Amino acid sequence: MDYNVYLLATDPKNPCRDVIHSRDTGLKIRVFCLDNEQFDPDTNEIQLYGYANGKLFAFETINIAPDDALDVVGAIQWYAEYVDYPQMEILPDDPRGDKNIAM
């Protein structure tokens, strides 16, 4: 079974602004720390959510291609391992419910 290799681009000015890159495909996923910043989901992208170390994260694809959609969960699982929280539950919807997430 083939496994993708993922890389992480970090923003030195914003520790909550990581981007997961697949080395082998065009998949890119932007990471948002929802405890620290606003998040306005793009209706053309895939969004998933997860808690790690008591913090809520949103994961949003960047220019998702149909062939890459199946790799999104694997990339988020890799990120969860990277941040030392392999038990992160990946959620399909924002667990904050009807909270206004964009202004």
Side-chain angles (χ1 to χ4, degrees), residues 17-91:
R17 201 41 76 91
D18 293 335
V19 177
I20 305 165
H21 293 260
S22 171
R23 183 189 70 179
D24 303 316
T25 69
L27 179 65
K28 294 179 188 171
I29 300 172
R30 188 172 291 123
V31 181
F32 295 88
C33 298
L34 296 184
D35 297 338
N36 300 337
E37 61 185 316
Q38 291 183 341
F39 175 57
D40 184 16
D42 183 335
T43 58
N44 296 316
E45 299 295 340
I46 296 171
Q47 297 86 27
L48 295 171
Y49 302 85
Y51 282 103
N53 299 323
K55 295 180 182 178
L56 178 60
F57 292 89
F59 300 92
E60 183 174 66
T61 58
I62 301 170
N63 299 321
I64 188 72
D67 292 344
D68 294 334
L70 295 176
D71 296 328
V72 172
V73 171
I76 295 170
Q77 289 172 330
W78 172 86
Y79 184 81
E81 291 269 343
Y82 181 83
V83 296
D84 293 327
Y85 204 78
Q87 65 271 31
M88 176 190 289
E89 181 180 5
I90 299 170
L91 306 167

